[in-house]
Amino acid sequence: MSSGQVRRAAVIGSGAMGHGITELLAMNGYAVFMVDINDEILQNAKEKIKWSLGKFVEKRRIRQEDADATLARIGTTTSYEQAGKDVDIAIEAAPENINLKRTIFAKLDQSTPNHAILASNTSTLSVTEMGKATKRPDKVAGMHFFNPPHAMALVEVIKGEGTSQETINALVDLSKKLGKTPIIVRKDVRGFIVNRILGATFLEAFWAFKRGEASKEGIDASVKYTGGFPMGWFELADFSGLDIVYDVGKILYETYGDRFKPCSELIDSLVKEHKLGQKTGEGFYDWTKGRPRIPFNLLEEYDVDRSWAVAVNEAAWLISDEAAIPEDIDTGMKLGTYWPEGPCEHADRAGLDVMASKLKDLYAKYNMEMYKPCPLLEEYVSKGWTGKKAGRGFYK
Ligand SMILES: NC(=O)c1ccc[n+]([C@@H]2O[C@H](COP(=O)([O-])OP(=O)(O)OC[C@H]3O[C@@H](n4cnc5c(N)ncnc54)[C@H](O)[C@@H]3O)[C@@H](O)[C@H]2O)c1
């Protein structure tokens, strides 16, 4: 099925992401049924959409009649049968739990027409597993929106083992119709692209702090003011939610082993004490008075090239796993997290040899897997593909 044939959609789960995805679809002319476990949750979600549309009207981005028409395109129900009856696509945004998601996909397989695509907004779980819960794995894929869906430009489209190219093409098209930039995760790897590279970067900073090499304020000041990133790593971890950072970190460790060795002492106690960052008012920083102040004078405390080195290394792993191409990796990091440059572009500019030797120095000093250069990176350097200066690096 092509995306041109998508007219009606169901969104499963009306929480932070589900109501945002529903709003985005409805604003772009699609009729949407939003499904949740009870009517009260659904009414709350619809109120949130109404409030958000009101803001768009206030800012003169849309007219009142567009807001009214958008709301009129949204139905709510607790019944999968009612929601699924005529849909061309269902997008699942229920809690991040594989058993729950498998059950939901089995139900969607029963309640939607045979031609319908079933997509999951999962941040880390296996799309292949969800496909196996259905009789149409070729029509099951990941469609990972970023938060909030109406504002963030990126969508990761994830190919499960059974997903057909036709399904991927339809989701790429649909993402574009929604005004988004899709990148393709060509293999169902954990962490996909953005969370995997961000996970590596967070860990380097957490370990540097834990080893007493720099303060968290010093790391964040260096990352922001010297590196040109929009937030420091501790600030961003707090902003994303330390429970989510913990969960994603756990899955990355289970999948890739010691390359993602968690800095448990740092995160576990905060999560146990329910200090989850911005949303609970405290995490690495105190958020009760707004965004933490990152002192400018500490901007040289941490060597930002260390962040780049592990990010470039993880990009090389993604390429050698045949899960992503450099263009998609760079687009993902720039649109998904507002990095000033993608890791592959950065390596090409700074020199792949420089990145590899930074990693080797760190590996010699700390003997941690996360610093061990990916064989693909070493291969490129040994072939003389050191980046722009050589005419070839990750890019030609
Ligand atoms: N929050 C984020 O920043 C973010 C970003 C990208 C992706 N995601 C992913 O999106 C998904 C949803 O995350 P969220 O933050 O919106 O969660 P959430 O907890 O805010 O919302 C989940 C919703 O699903 C509902 N639900 C639970 N069981 C259900 C069922 N059987 N049928 C229908 N609805 C059910 C819940 O009542 C709740 O309203 C997760 O897979 C998450 O990993 C989250």
Side-chain angles (χ1 to χ4, degrees), residues 233-269:
W233 305 137
F234 290 90
E235 195 185 359
L236 180 57
D238 266 0
F239 185 75
S240 310
L242 295 185
D243 49 341
I244 293 174
V245 173
Y246 174 88
D247 287 344
V248 173
K250 191 163 170 270
I251 288 180
L252 292 173
Y253 180 48
E254 282 165 8
T255 312
Y256 305 109
D258 278 345
R259 197 163 89 235
F260 280 90
K261 187 172 176 179
C263 194
S264 305
E265 274 173 51
L266 213 58
I267 296 265
D268 294 18
S269 55

Side-chain angles (χ1 to χ4, degrees), residues 12-13 15-17 36-37 80 93-96 101 121 123 144-145 147:
I12 315 302
M17 295 304 289
D36 212 300
I37 49 176
Y80 280 66
E96 190 78 333
K101 291 197 194 268
N121 185 50
S123 308
H144 182 210
F145 289 87
N147 193 10

Side-chain angles (χ1 to χ4, degrees), residues 11-19 21 35-38 41 78 80 92-97 100-101 103-104 107 120-125 144-148 195 240 244:
V11 175
I12 315 302
S14 66
M17 295 304 289
H19 89 268
I21 296 168
V35 184
D36 212 300
I37 49 176
N38 69 48
I41 297 177
T78 53
Y80 280 66
E92 170 276 321
E96 190 78 333
N97 173 315
L100 174 65
K101 291 197 194 268
T103 311
I104 290 176
K107 276 200 211 172
S120 172
N121 185 50
T122 178
S123 308
T124 38
L125 299 174
H144 182 210
F145 289 87
F146 287 69
N147 193 10
N195 282 334
S240 310
I244 293 174

Side-chain angles (χ1 to χ4, degrees), residues 17-37:
M17 295 304 289
H19 89 268
I21 296 168
T22 301
E23 178 179 1
L24 179 68
L25 286 162
M27 281 181 83
N28 283 281
Y30 297 92
V32 196
F33 250 123
M34 191 162 60
V35 184
D36 212 300
I37 49 176

Side-chain angles (χ1 to χ4, degrees), residues 2 6 20 40 65-66 87 97 107 111 119 163 169 174 184 192 196 212 219 237-238 295 298 307 343 346 352 363:
S2 78
V6 174
E40 198 187 331
E65 50 268 42
D66 299 325
V87 297
N97 173 315
K107 276 200 211 172
S111 56
T163 314
N169 295 345
L174 176 62
I184 303 178
F192 309 137
R196 189 161 147 183
I219 292 175
D238 266 0
L298 302 181
S307 301
H346 180 84
L352 272 68
Y363 187 54

Side-chain angles (χ1 to χ4, degrees), residues 298-332:
L298 302 181
L299 86 178
E300 286 181 1
E301 217 182 276
Y302 173 72
D303 173 9
V304 184
D305 277 351
R306 290 168 56 149
S307 301
W308 279 119
V310 290
V312 168
N313 206 32
E314 207 47 46
W317 278 110
L318 275 161
I319 296 164
S320 80
D321 292 349
E322 296 181 343
I325 56 170
E327 286 85 345
D328 281 348
I329 294 172
D330 287 343
T331 301

